[in-house]
Amino acid sequence: MKRKISEISSLINKKISSKELNKNNYISTENMLSNFRGITKATSIPVGNVIEFLKGDILLSNIRPYFKKIWFSNNYGGCSNDVLVIRANNHVNGKYLYYALNSNEFIDYYVASCKGTKMPRGSKNALLDWKVDVPNIDVQQHIVNNRRIKYVS
């Protein structure tokens, strides 16, 4: 059955102080790698508040999404406001959702929702309206078990 992203996950906006972070757990669009390749170590950390993410959250660059910057977090940390934090709910396995979003089909859809020319941003409403095939949790787990996520750092 197909379900909207809004039905199976939430966009997280909880703020934390950047004082809690280091270059290994701060994510911005600058240290997200293009073409679905994960992340690298940050070169700097901003002063102020950032968006909190947890292990198992999906981070998606909202600026110039055609660069295909998406990461399945393997730790706790914080990210810039230009990175969306997507947290799966109990209807979907987080890694399964990551695999569904880690696709050219999704990126093409999301890019079509962009506004702006120099630094186009994807539409959060379009993201939340995207439909994902959501089989039962056992099938999702089987799919996850037979795929591997590359953590680049």
Side-chain angles (χ1 to χ4, degrees):
M1 169 169 52
K2 290 215 176 235
R3 302 193 64 183
K4 289 182 178 184
I5 295 293
S6 62
E7 297 173 316
I8 57 175
S9 68
S10 300
L11 287 179
I12 305 302
N13 290 307
K14 181 181 176 189
K15 299 285 187 171
I16 59 170
S17 171
S18 62
K19 292 178 184 176
E20 297 182 40
L21 305 174
N22 59 55
K23 292 180 180 180
N24 292 314
N25 68 351
Y26 174 69
I27 306 298
S28 74
T29 58
E30 293 175 7
N31 66 313
M32 295 184 83
L33 302 172
S34 61
N35 295 314
F36 309 114
R37 294 182 299 131
I39 61 165
T40 188
K41 190 176 187 177
T43 56
S44 63
I45 302 169
V47 175
N49 291 331
V50 297
I51 299 172
E52 177 185 55
F53 65 85
L54 304 177
K55 181 178 181 178
D57 285 345
I58 301 160
L59 279 65
L60 173 68
S61 174
N62 195 38
I63 291 181
R64 299 186 292 186
Y66 49 81
F67 282 130
K68 304 173 187 177
K69 295 181 176 185
I70 187 169
W71 179 61
F72 187 81
S73 67
N74 60 357
N75 59 291
Y76 168 83
C79 63
S80 77
N81 290 327
D82 294 326
V83 176
L84 301 178
V85 177
I86 303 163
R87 185 168 299 151
N89 64 26
N90 60 359
H91 296 292
V92 67
N93 179 301
K95 285 184 185 177
Y96 177 84
L97 179 56
Y98 167 78
Y99 291 138
L101 298 177
N102 192 18
S103 69
N104 286 320
E105 180 183 10
F106 167 71
I107 295 296
D108 291 345
Y109 164 83
Y110 196 53
V111 166
S113 79
C114 284
K115 297 221 184 315
T117 52
K118 184 177 178 185
M119 298 289 270
R121 295 176 189 272
S123 163
K124 292 177 186 175
N125 288 334
L127 166 68
L128 294 172
D129 283 343
W130 175 253
K131 290 186 178 178
V132 175
D133 188 31
V134 182
N136 74 50
I137 203 74
D138 293 331
V139 172
Q140 292 176 45
Q141 190 61 51
H142 177 75
I143 291 167
V144 167
N145 290 344
N146 289 293
R147 293 197 56 177
R148 294 179 54 168
I149 296 176
K150 295 178 185 175
Y151 292 108
V152 179
S153 51

